Amino acid sequence: MNSPLPLPRALSAAVAAGVLLALSGCQTPRDAKYIESGGASTVVTLDQINIQDWNRAADAMVASMLASGVLERVPEQPAVLAISRIVNNTQQQVDTDSLTKKIRVALNQSGKVITTTTLGLGGKAEDPLAKESAEMAAMLAGQKQVTRLPYYTLSGKLLEDRAQAGKVKQVTYTFQLSLTTVKDGLAVWEEEKQITKQGTRSSVGW
Amino acid sequence: MKSLAPLAALAALLLPLTGCQTNVNTVSRAEPLARPTPVSDKRIVTDRTLGELIGVVSVNETLVSGNLRKVQVTLENLRDNNREIRYRFEWVDRDGMAVGGVSELWLPLVLAGRETRSVSTVATTPRAVDFTLKIVEGK
């Protein structure tokens, strides 16, 4: 039978336990676990475009495009959009679909835009089977294939700017997009979103 | 003890220069031309500390692209120190079902001392009718 702790010791132990309990939620997990994609727990690094950067850029672009009212000026709704070239001028190899797909999904949900998957840059279809099937169906029906041409094209550029002062490293990723009307080649909407990250190490937290 | 006094004075002088205590002065039109559409809001505070640090000045709403809702919430840092928060908008449809979408993500925001800043979002579907803004303290 253990004798009960003296009151001051018991109090100290309780306080220590409370402090440890409070700190436990902030500790870095050792075991793998699921976290919210792009949420507060996601890792932030200086040497690459992180998932939350893509999300933020896409969100800003979508909000800007929808708020601009440009999609309301299309004669036949929803507007047909084709994805043009997104130039990657950053030091890293990225898949620009990380940006454009999120934008396409959001615009599709809005009901204002549908994206063609059978018409792509350099004649490459995103969905070659759909393109071939349409050609086959048109041939079997003895008709000329009718492809709905895009009203808009989406093009853009990714830029990267690095700076360092002492131990502090800084990187700015710039996302630029333009929406061009095919019939006259004029950019009717343009937007730029910059995301800057700073830290003394490559990996920093939010 | 006496020798600590100059150090304390120096620390007090340097404190405003550290960047942690930068208040924002503003100037704007005395009679604003803007006529925003205010939204009456309901606030649920589970973090009293944060509730005393960040205030909600106004909630406005408008329609964009014909039938998409855009909301703007103006936040105010109620203290003199810089304050880092994260916020997230969530939308629900007429049946109260969560809509989801690309715009529902946690975004960081740094407010300087006493600064007022607006955050906004555009619903990506016409089905979205109501919204919730969640705010948490940044790390």
Side-chain angles (χ1 to χ4, degrees):
Chain A
M1 192 72 164
N2 293 333
S3 58
L5 286 170
L7 194 60
R9 281 185 65 189
L11 196 64
S12 303
V15 168
V19 169
L20 284 173
L21 194 65
L23 292 174
S24 62
C26 304
Q27 284 179 341
T28 307
R30 290 182 180 178
D31 299 324
K33 65 169 186 176
Y34 289 105
I35 60 164
E36 186 183 357
S37 295
S41 307
T42 44
V43 172
V44 183
T45 57
L46 291 173
D47 52 6
Q48 67 184 109
I49 304 174
N50 301 126
I51 186 167
Q52 55 272 42
D53 303 329
W54 293 116
N55 288 346
R56 285 172 63 185
D59 175 51
M61 294 294 179
V62 168
S64 169
M65 197 188 294
L66 292 176
S68 72
V70 71
L71 302 176
E72 286 296 288
R73 300 202 289 267
V74 182
E76 190 181 351
Q77 289 203 3
V80 178
L81 175 74
I83 306 298
S84 185
R85 181 171 286 126
I86 310 289
V87 178
N88 175 23
N89 275 357
T90 67
Q91 292 176 17
Q92 54 182 297
Q93 193 173 357
V94 297
D95 188 337
T96 54
D97 270 2
S98 301
L99 179 70
T100 56
K101 194 66 174 182
K102 288 181 179 62
I103 293 171
R104 284 171 55 172
V105 168
L107 293 178
N108 184 277
Q109 284 178 349
S110 75
K112 311 285 179 192
V113 171
I114 47 173
T115 308
T116 175
T117 56
T118 56
L119 203 66
L121 192 65
K124 287 182 183 173
E126 184 181 320
D127 187 343
L129 183 59
K131 186 179 182 182
E132 286 173 19
S133 299
E135 288 169 353
M136 180 72 77
M139 188 187 77
L140 290 174
Q143 297 168 339
K144 197 174 179 184
Q145 190 197 346
V146 180
T147 304
R148 196 170 157 192
L149 294 173
Y151 190 81
Y152 288 129
T153 59
L154 188 70
S155 61
K157 190 182 273 190
L158 308 180
L159 303 168
E160 177 180 326
D161 177 78
R162 288 186 175 273
Q164 185 166 357
K167 289 182 178 177
V168 179
K169 297 174 183 172
Q170 178 179 294
V171 60
T172 298
Y173 292 108
T174 304
F175 303 81
Q176 299 174 334
L177 285 182
S178 298
L179 190 71
T180 303
T181 311
V182 170
K183 68 176 181 183
D184 55 15
L186 298 176
V188 289
W189 169 87
E190 294 191 285
E191 188 57 271
E192 180 178 271
K193 170 73 178 172
Q194 288 187 321
I195 293 175
T196 301
K197 297 186 276 190
Q198 204 178 68
T200 52
R201 292 170 293 157
S202 292
S203 176
V204 293
W206 273 37
Chain B
M1 197 66 176
K2 211 172 182 180
S3 62
L4 289 176
L7 272 177
L10 185 64
L13 277 173
L14 288 174
L15 192 64
L17 303 175
T18 57
C20 299
Q21 202 168 13
T22 308
N23 285 13
V24 175
N25 296 341
T26 61
V27 60
S28 59
R29 190 194 296 273
E31 299 289 335
L33 298 177
R35 292 286 177 267
T37 308
V39 177
S40 59
D41 59 279
K42 180 178 75 176
R43 299 170 195 188
I44 299 169
V45 177
T46 57
D47 184 344
R48 286 189 179 278
T49 310
L50 181 61
E52 290 167 2
L53 298 173
I54 302 293
V56 176
V57 178
S58 62
V59 183
N60 301 324
E61 183 185 54
T62 187
L63 282 180
V64 297
S65 279
N67 58 358
L68 300 174
R69 288 174 197 274
K70 177 179 182 177
V71 291
Q72 175 181 281
V73 179
T74 304
L75 303 171
E76 181 183 11
N77 182 358
L78 302 173
R79 299 293 168 88
D80 292 336
N81 298 344
N82 285 357
R83 185 67 52 190
E84 188 177 341
I85 61 166
R86 285 180 290 117
Y87 68 95
R88 171 188 171 118
F89 283 97
E90 292 177 357
W91 290 96
V92 293
D93 67 14
R94 223 165 258 289
D95 298 321
M97 306 297 282
V99 169
V102 71
S103 63
E104 293 192 0
L105 51 127
W106 286 103
L107 295 170
L109 179 70
V110 178
L111 290 157
R114 305 285 170 185
E115 186 185 12
T116 299
R117 186 92 74 87
S118 296
V119 294
S120 65
T121 187
V122 176
T124 53
T125 168
R127 291 189 296 114
V129 293
D130 285 329
F131 71 95
T132 302
L133 172 65
K134 295 179 176 176
I135 305 169
V136 296
E137 270 197 277
K139 275 183 186 172

